[in-house]
Amino acid sequence: MLKFTEEHEWLSIEDGVATVGITTYAVEQLGDLVFVELPEIGSALTKAGNAATVESVKAASDVYSPLDGEITEVNEAIVADPSLVNSDPMGKGWFFKLKLANAADVDTLLDEAAYKELIA
């Protein structure tokens, strides 16, 4: 299941765990990323709270937690090579995995059609 936030994060949800990253649209707005800072494994995040930071040649930006949960894994590859986010934002460029506090909260997020309408 793929969901989106109005802040341009995407989530791929499987068995109550969301893989989270930033959308292709967000990457296009930011430009080439030069730095990524990720949360620590075990961190508790709250919906709309700051989860990660990205810096591009244009600006620094926060990545927000789409839902409440706990970080179970982070993608160290994008810390070592931020360009992975630019080249494959919704694949190899994922940021972190979040064990959802309440899986039903997923229903509050945008589906792909609603997200496409948002960025149109």
Side-chain angles (χ1 to χ4, degrees), residues 3-86:
K3 292 287 191 169
F4 298 86
T5 70
E6 291 183 4
E7 291 75 31
H8 310 292
E9 289 91 21
W10 61 265
L11 298 79
S12 174
I13 300 137
E14 189 173 318
D15 297 328
V17 176
T19 301
V20 180
I22 61 175
T23 64
T24 302
Y25 176 83
V27 169
E28 289 167 355
Q29 299 306 303
L30 287 166
D32 292 336
L33 295 187
V34 295
F35 175 79
V36 176
E37 182 179 81
L38 297 172
E40 291 186 26
I41 293 173
S43 299
L45 299 181
T46 56
K47 182 177 180 172
N50 188 10
T53 303
V54 294
E55 289 182 20
S56 72
V57 292
K58 292 182 182 178
S61 185
D62 291 328
V63 176
Y64 300 102
S65 181
L67 297 169
D68 295 347
E70 180 182 332
I71 298 294
T72 60
E73 191 177 340
V74 295
N75 186 357
E76 294 292 346
I78 66 170
V79 174
D81 184 5
S83 71
L84 284 173
V85 179
N86 291 99

